[in-house]
Each structure stands twice: as C-alpha cells, then as structure tokens.
C-alpha cells in the first residue's frame, strides 16, 4: 500500500513529468527522424536505380533498333549482346528482347528463346510506352521499353526489351543502415535519459530547499525566515511564505497577549474580593456598617467580573464567521430610539444631555443584536467619558443614501489623545486605565463595536480633540453583502 502510494506520488511529481517531457522532446524526434530517413531511403534508392537502368535500357534498345539484332543474333551483333549481358550482370538481372511477332529473340538466361510472350506490359510498350514496375515484396524492378529506330520518322515499334533487375543490395544496405541507426539511437536515448534525469534532479533541487526550509522553520531550528533565491518563482514563494509567517507570528503574539490580558483582568476583581473578605475576617468585632460596606464593595467587584465575562462572550461571538450573522430587516430609527431610551437613566445620572436626530426613515438588513451592541457601546462611551459639570451632551444623528446608512455619535467629553486613536479598538486598551476602571470600563467595548461593524461590511472612523470631544462616524450598507 505504502509502495503504491509512493509510486503514485512519484508519478504525480514534477520530477517525473519533467523526465517524461525531456524523453518525449528528445527521443521521439530522434526515432521519427531515423525511421523517416530509413523508410525514404528504399524508395529513393529504388527510383535512382529505376532511372539508371531505364536510361541504359533505352540506349541499348536504340542500338538494337539500328542493328540487325532482331533478325540476326549472330556475330555482327555480338557487341550489343555483350552490352546487354554486362547490364544484367551489373544489376543482377535478366533481359529479354521480343520482336514484333512477340517472339523472344534474345534472353540473357537463355531459357525462353524462340518462345512467344504476350503480357499486358509488352502490349502497352508496343504502343511506344516505357513501363517500370517495382515489386517491393520480391525486391526487383521490372521494365519494358519499346525498341524504336530513332532515325525512323514513323516511330514504328520494332520490338520490346524487357529488363528485370534485383534490388536485393538496396535492401541489404537499408538493413545495415537500420542496424547502425538502432545502435546510435539506443546510445542517444540512454544518454538523453541519463543526462535528463541529472538535469531534472538539479532543476527541482530549489523546490526541495523550499520544503526543507519550511520544515526547519516549523521545527524551530535554522533561520527564522525562508530564503531560496535560485529561481524567480522560489523567491516569490519565499516572500509570500515569509509574509504569512510574520502575520501568523503577529497573530500568535496578539493571542498570547490577549490570553494574558484576560487572565489579568479576570484576576483583578477576584484579588480585590479576597482582600476585602480577608480584611473583614481579620476583624471579628467589626461593626455591622463596616460589614455592609465591605459586602457592597464585594458585590461591585462581582458585577465587574460579570461585565468582563459578558463582554468577552460578546467578543467571542463577534469573532465567529459571517454565517453566524442573523440578518433581518430592521427599522434603524426605532432601534436607535430604543437604545437611547435604555441609556437615558445613565445619561441622567451623569447629567449628560442625550439627543437623537433622524434625517429620514431607514430600514436596513442587519443583525439586530450585534448592531445594538455596537451602537450601545459608542453612546455609552460618549456618556461615560463626558464632562462632569452638568453641561455635557451626546448627539446621535442618523442619515442615509441609496447604499448606506450613516450614524454619527458626537460628544462633548474628555477626548482621546492623538497617539491613542489607533489603539482604542484593541482589546483591553484604555487611555486612562484607572479612570476607565473607576467608571466600569473593561477595554473591550470598542473592540466589540468594530468587529460588529466590520461583520456588517461597514466602516468606523474616529475624530477627537482632547478636552473638546469625540466623534465616531459609522457607515453600514443598507443591504447585507454576503
Ligand atoms: P472601555 O470599556 O474602557 O470604555 P472601550 O473599548 O469602549 O473600553 O474604549 C477604549 C478606550 O477608549 C476607553 O478606555 C477610553 O479611554 C477611550 N474612549 C472610548 N470612547 C471614548 C469617548 N467617547 N471619549 C473619550 N475617550 C473614549
């Protein structure tokens, strides 16, 4: 099973595909070239042989026509006979000469003399045509040439010369060449494969370096970033990997920081409660009022612990995916009125004036619970971090266009220093820790607000001047974009 999957992995590997490519690109053309050349060799050699023999046959046919050869094959034509014999010896063949009565007057094999020969080719040649045929199975060329006296203006065919020559030596040559070509091809293929494999191993080495580097980083030894500069592609992969690595490190650090912040924040009320309980325990004779005061303080700490836990739970809910959004069509004007109504008692207590200004009726597709949390935090902060001279105010205004609704929460409060503006959305960040704690802040409110707004595909911006006030601008799409 393991062997099989290893084989499969090899087949799927880039190495295997490159080797295959090199083999296809080198071996295939060589094989095609070889077989092509060898195959064309036979037809080319045969056609050269045909034209050679035909030329000589035509010359001899002319000589036969101008001599007494067809009527008298005695000594006077011995010279022509010798030439015909020589032609058949050279080309390993046979020549037959037929006169106009289809009678064989000369046969180099001396087998069929005086016999009559009537064949399709002979009849055709009597009409003045030279016919050449190649028998590729038995390896010989057969030709019939008309014997015509070149001086005769009528062009009368006096007879026909039949010549057949063997092509055995061409075939022999071809098989010799084929053998040689096969040997050369085998050597070439072996060399191609050998050097191909070496080259491919060299080629994919940087990729191994990349995976080795990732492995080392994962195991925690070696360099803390990936660097393989062999190819542009490996440089790109390394850059992307290093970017991902550093963002993961940042995430890891912030997670660790978050965990330690959570532990710290949860421990603080517990420590206070322990101190309060210990001190009351160490005073067995303490008056009842003191007990009541201490118990009141302990209750406050319990409330605080509960608030931190609730905020943390809200934050965890916000961290979930978009699939957890419970989107319904909500009347935003009514929603805002409800929120402000709920916050009115706190505003009254702080002597802060709460004003709502709605420019038009607005309905939008939102997650009501999450949006309520976001808006409540903003307005509550406006009240909490306001002036305490009874002159403070928080203005909430609502407007919309065809695409978004806009919420503005303006206050006349203490403001946020410029250097803190980028940090206020961080979990547990508070500009003035002790002041925030005093007024019951956990440092999680704006983190929840921002997550909620981002989950609605919206945006939040803050403008603030210390001592004058703060403005939060929120923009949320009317239709939820999945
Ligand atoms: P908290 O629970 O402390 O209010 P938040 O996340 O809501 O936490 O706010 C983070 C910090 O930003 C607050 O501690 C406060 O210092 C500052 N802040 C938020 N809103 C305002 C505001 N309207 N005016 C002044 N400071 C603000």
């Amino acid at each position: 099973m393991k062997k099989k999957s290893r084989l499969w992995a090899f087949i799927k590997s880039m190495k295997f595909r490159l080797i295959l490519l090199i083999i296809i690109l080198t071996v295939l053309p060589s094989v095609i070239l070889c077989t092509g050349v060898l195959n064309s060799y036979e037809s080319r050699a045969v056609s050269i042989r045909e034209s050679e023999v035909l030329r000589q046959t035509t010359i001899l046919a002319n000589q036969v026509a101008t001599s007494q050869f067809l009527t008298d094959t005695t000594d006077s034509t011995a010279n022509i006979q010798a030439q015909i014999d020589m032609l058949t010896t050279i080309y390993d063949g046979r020549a037959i000469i037929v006169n106009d009565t289809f009678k064989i007057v000369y046969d180099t094999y001396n087998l069929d003399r005086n016999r009559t020969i009537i064949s399709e080719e002979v009849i055709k040649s009597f009409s003045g045509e030279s016919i050449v045929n190649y028998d590729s199975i038995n390896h010989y060329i057969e030709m019939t040439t008309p014997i015509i006296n070149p001086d005769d203006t009528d062009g009368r065919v006096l007879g026909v010369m039949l010549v057949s020559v063997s092509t055995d030596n061409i075939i022999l040559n071809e098989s010799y060449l084929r053998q040689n070509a096969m040997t050369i091809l085998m050597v070439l293929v072996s060399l191609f494969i050998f050097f191909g494999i070496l080259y491919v191993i060299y080629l994919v080495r940087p990729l191994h370096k990349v995976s080795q580097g990732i492995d080392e980083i994962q195991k925690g030894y070696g360099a803390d970033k990936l660097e393989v500069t062999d190819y542009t592609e490996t440089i790109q992969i390394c850059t992307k990997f290093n970017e991902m690595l550093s963002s993961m490190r940042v995430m890891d650090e912030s997670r660790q920081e978050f965990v330690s912040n959570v532990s710290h924040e949860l421990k603080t009320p517990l420590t206070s409660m322990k101190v309060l309980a210990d001190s009351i325990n160490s005073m067995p004779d303490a008056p009842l009022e003191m007990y009541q005061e201490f118990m009141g303080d302990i209750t406050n700490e319990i409330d605080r612990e509960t608030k931190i836990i609730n905020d943390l739970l809200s934050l965890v809910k916000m961290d979930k995916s978009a699939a957890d959004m419970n989107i319904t069509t909500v009347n935003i004007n009514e929603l805002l009125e409800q929120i402000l109504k709920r916050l009115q008692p706190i505003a009254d207590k702080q002597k802060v004036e709460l004003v709502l200004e709605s420019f038009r009726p607005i309905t939008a597709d939102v997650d009501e619970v999450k949006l309520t949390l976001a808006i409540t935090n903003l307005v509550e902060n406006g009240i909490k971090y306001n002036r305490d001279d009874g002159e403070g105010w928080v203005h909430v205004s609502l407007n919309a266009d065809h695409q978004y609704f806009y919420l503005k929460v303006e206050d006349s409060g203490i403001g946020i220093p410029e250097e803190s503006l980028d940090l206020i959305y961080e979990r547990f960040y508070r500009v003035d820790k002790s002041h925030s704690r005093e007024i019951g802040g956990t440092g999680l409110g704006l983190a929840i607000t921002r997550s909620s707004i981002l989950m609605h595909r919206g945006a939040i911006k803050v403008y603030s001047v210390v001592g004058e006030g703060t403005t939060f601008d929120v923009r949320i799409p009317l239709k939820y974009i999945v």
Side-chain angles (χ1 to χ4, degrees):
M1 193 68 188
K2 210 174 169 191
K3 229 177 174 181
K4 208 174 160 192
S5 67
R6 256 210 214 149
L7 180 75
W8 183 236
F10 177 68
I11 289 173
K12 279 189 79 181
S13 70
M14 196 167 141
K15 218 188 267 177
F16 174 72
R17 280 155 207 224
L18 283 174
I19 291 173
L20 211 66
L21 189 75
I22 289 179
I23 291 176
I24 291 172
L25 287 183
T26 53
V27 175
L28 213 66
S30 318
V31 173
I32 293 172
L33 195 76
C34 253
T35 40
V37 167
L38 286 174
N39 286 348
S40 66
Y41 169 79
E42 186 184 343
S43 59
R44 179 86 186 123
V46 166
S47 91
I48 290 172
R49 176 71 51 90
E50 280 172 358
S51 56
E52 257 174 34
V53 175
L54 187 65
R55 192 162 37 87
Q56 297 200 32
T57 308
T58 314
I59 294 168
L60 284 172
N62 284 348
Q63 285 186 18
V64 169
T66 49
S67 69
Q68 299 298 309
F69 196 88
L70 288 172
T71 48
D72 165 29
T73 48
T74 52
D75 291 349
S76 64
T77 55
N79 177 32
I80 299 173
Q81 261 185 48
Q83 283 188 53
I84 295 172
D85 289 349
M86 192 147 76
L87 175 77
T88 54
T89 314
I90 291 170
Y91 292 110
D92 185 16
R94 180 183 184 183
I96 291 172
I97 292 176
V98 179
N99 68 11
D100 53 0
T101 59
F102 295 97
K103 203 172 110 189
I104 296 175
V105 293
Y106 185 68
D107 174 9
T108 51
Y109 279 11
N110 242 339
L111 293 174
D112 296 323
R113 196 183 274 239
N114 293 327
R115 285 203 189 149
T116 303
I117 180 168
I118 299 174
S119 72
E120 198 186 326
E121 284 83 9
V122 171
I123 294 168
K124 268 191 188 162
S125 283
F126 266 107
S127 61
E129 205 181 321
S130 283
I131 292 156
V132 180
N133 279 325
Y134 175 54
D135 183 338
S136 60
I137 296 164
N138 300 310
H139 305 143
Y140 65 87
I141 301 166
E142 216 176 35
M143 58 182 73
T144 52
T145 311
I147 301 169
I148 304 168
N149 188 343
D151 302 329
D152 184 357
T153 46
D154 292 349
R156 201 165 60 86
V157 179
L158 306 170
V160 169
M161 188 165 168
L162 287 92
V163 175
S164 62
V165 293
S166 162
T167 55
D168 275 348
N169 57 350
I170 292 178
I171 303 301
L172 215 68
N173 265 352
E174 194 204 338
S175 74
Y176 171 75
L177 282 178
R178 199 175 286 274
Q179 244 173 31
N180 268 1
M182 277 330 248
T183 319
I184 293 170
L185 202 66
M186 291 311 279
V187 172
L188 269 182
V189 167
S190 315
L191 284 176
F192 279 148
I193 292 178
F194 177 70
F195 285 109
I197 290 174
L198 282 188
Y199 184 58
V200 168
I201 289 174
Y202 169 77
L203 217 60
V204 298
R205 217 164 42 186
L207 296 182
H208 285 301
K209 272 201 236 169
V210 170
S211 81
Q212 213 171 12
I214 294 174
D215 220 32
E216 282 174 10
I217 290 172
Q218 203 180 19
K219 284 179 183 148
Y221 55 84
D224 60 350
K225 69 178 195 175
L226 198 59
E227 214 164 2
V228 181
T229 50
D230 301 56
Y231 301 137
T232 315
E233 286 82 357
T234 55
I235 294 173
Q236 281 169 352
I237 291 174
C238 290
T239 314
K240 292 280 164 223
F241 178 81
N242 290 333
E243 278 171 18
M244 193 187 77
L245 197 67
S246 64
S247 74
M248 273 169 67
R249 280 180 180 143
V250 168
M251 263 165 66
D252 195 46
E253 269 167 28
S254 82
R255 207 195 65 223
Q256 278 179 12
E257 198 186 305
F258 178 65
V259 170
S260 86
N261 280 343
V262 168
S263 328
H264 177 77
E265 294 297 328
L266 291 177
K267 247 173 86 181
T268 315
L270 286 178
T271 316
S272 306
M273 281 187 264
K274 173 121 175 76
V275 170
L276 287 164
D278 280 352
S279 48
I280 202 83
N281 274 341
S282 65
M283 293 185 284
D285 305 326
L288 180 68
E289 298 80 54
M290 202 167 188
Y291 268 100
Q292 280 171 340
E293 192 193 327
F294 274 44
M295 284 318 274
D297 288 346
I298 289 175
T299 311
N300 284 343
E301 292 302 328
I302 291 172
D303 286 347
R304 186 168 161 68
E305 184 92 31
T306 312
K307 185 161 173 23
I308 296 173
I309 291 169
N310 284 340
D311 277 1
L312 276 172
L313 287 175
S314 304
L315 201 64
V316 169
K317 270 189 214 145
M318 296 294 170
D319 277 347
K320 285 197 179 152
S321 64
D324 294 299
M325 290 289 273
N326 182 18
I327 301 292
T328 51
T329 306
V330 176
N331 182 326
I332 304 295
N333 309 70
E334 275 176 19
L335 184 78
L336 263 184
E337 275 165 31
Q338 277 171 21
I339 293 171
L340 294 201
K341 204 168 155 194
R342 230 178 292 138
L343 291 174
Q344 193 61 53
I346 310 174
D348 291 344
K349 203 170 150 200
Q350 297 278 123
K351 294 198 180 63
V352 170
E353 187 193 14
L354 208 50
V355 183
L356 171 64
E357 195 177 10
S358 288
F359 287 96
R360 63 189 72 212
I362 297 162
T363 49
D365 295 341
V366 294
D367 182 321
E368 192 171 344
V369 176
K370 292 190 174 80
L371 189 66
T372 304
L373 261 177
I375 300 172
T376 306
N377 281 332
L378 288 180
V379 182
E380 206 179 331
N381 278 352
I383 300 168
K384 280 193 312 192
Y385 301 103
N386 221 308
R387 40 211 270 200
D388 46 14
D389 58 359
E391 298 283 310
W393 49 260
V394 176
H395 284 177
V396 182
S397 68
L398 179 66
N399 205 346
D401 57 21
H402 62 287
Q403 220 179 343
Y404 300 100
F405 70 86
Y406 303 91
L407 184 80
K408 196 190 271 274
V409 181
E410 240 172 316
D411 67 54
S412 59
I414 57 172
I416 303 166
E418 207 181 327
E419 64 276 11
S420 298
L421 283 178
D422 286 339
L423 302 167
I424 51 171
Y425 302 108
E426 298 289 328
R427 294 148 177 193
F428 296 115
Y429 180 81
R430 280 158 285 187
V431 176
D432 180 347
K433 233 175 174 143
S434 60
H435 179 227
S436 162
R437 201 176 133 69
E438 233 169 71
I439 54 178
T442 60
L444 295 171
L446 286 181
I448 295 170
T449 300
R450 195 172 78 130
S451 290
S452 164
I453 291 167
L454 293 184
M455 280 182 95
H456 283 89
R457 316 273 182 251
I460 180 164
K461 274 188 195 151
V462 60
Y463 309 93
S464 188
V465 178
V466 174
E468 281 185 23
T470 305
T471 303
F472 281 96
D473 270 337
V474 176
R475 187 192 74 185
I476 290 177
L478 294 170
K479 290 263 165 275
Y480 179 67
I481 309 154
V482 184

